[in-house]
Amino acid sequence: MAGELPEYYFRVREQGAAVYRVETDNPERRLELNQIAVVNTKRGDWKPQGATELTAADEAAIADWLAHRQAVLAERRLDDIHRAVDHLNLTAAWAQSQATDAELEGVTDTLLLAMHDLRTVLIRRKADRIDRADGADG
């Protein structure tokens, strides 16, 4: 066969994935996806589906997928933050040179509150890191 099918298919969901075993060994040679587990990426765990007993190979495939997925999600989170910095810079340029008074009136309070909240969190977290570093040195 030109493109061999994988043994498992992971249907991504909001908090993880549904895990399917890909099966073609049937009299009709039809492709069947049999759900064997549900994965939670936030908790880093999984549960068998129904009465399914997971094999060592199932567990290994799920663990590999989970580790890879968590790494991808972490990269995306950081990329989102870098994009947010870009958006803040673009917003500053827009506010300075293009925004009308009416447009600014519609967004200023919300932006100021969000930026104040972010600034407060960042300062607190930086102070915590400095305190821990000072504690480790002293």
Side-chain angles (χ1 to χ4, degrees):
M1 187 170 178
E4 288 298 314
L5 293 173
E7 239 182 294
Y8 302 94
Y9 171 68
F10 294 82
R11 181 190 297 157
V12 175
R13 294 175 159 177
E14 186 72 28
Q15 301 289 326
V19 184
Y20 295 86
R21 189 177 294 120
V22 178
E23 297 179 3
T24 56
D25 296 337
N26 57 60
E28 298 87 24
R29 297 191 43 84
R30 286 188 175 168
L31 176 67
E32 291 184 11
L33 299 177
N34 295 317
Q35 188 172 357
I36 61 169
V38 175
V39 180
N40 186 305
T41 51
K42 287 192 183 259
R43 288 193 316 256
D45 64 1
W46 58 86
K47 293 187 284 189
Q49 179 69 22
T52 302
E53 290 190 31
L54 299 175
T55 66
D58 295 338
E59 299 259 347
I62 292 169
D64 288 347
W65 180 88
L66 179 59
H68 176 74
R69 183 67 179 172
Q70 287 174 325
V72 165
L73 293 174
E75 286 177 27
R76 286 181 183 172
R77 267 191 302 276
L78 280 179
D79 187 52
D80 287 346
I81 299 306
H82 290 289
R83 288 174 193 253
V85 171
D86 288 348
H87 282 289
L88 283 171
N89 288 320
L90 292 169
T91 302
W94 169 81
Q96 185 175 31
S97 62
Q98 297 171 343
T100 66
D101 289 345
E103 290 170 330
L104 286 173
E105 189 62 36
V107 298
T108 297
D109 291 342
T110 303
L111 277 170
L112 287 173
L113 286 170
M115 291 186 315
H116 175 73
D117 182 35
L118 176 60
R119 183 178 187 276
T120 301
V121 169
L122 292 174
I123 288 171
R124 184 175 353 103
R125 293 293 307 266
K126 183 162 186 113
D128 290 347
R129 289 193 310 275
I130 290 169
D131 287 346
R132 282 196 304 273
D134 287 348
D137 293 340

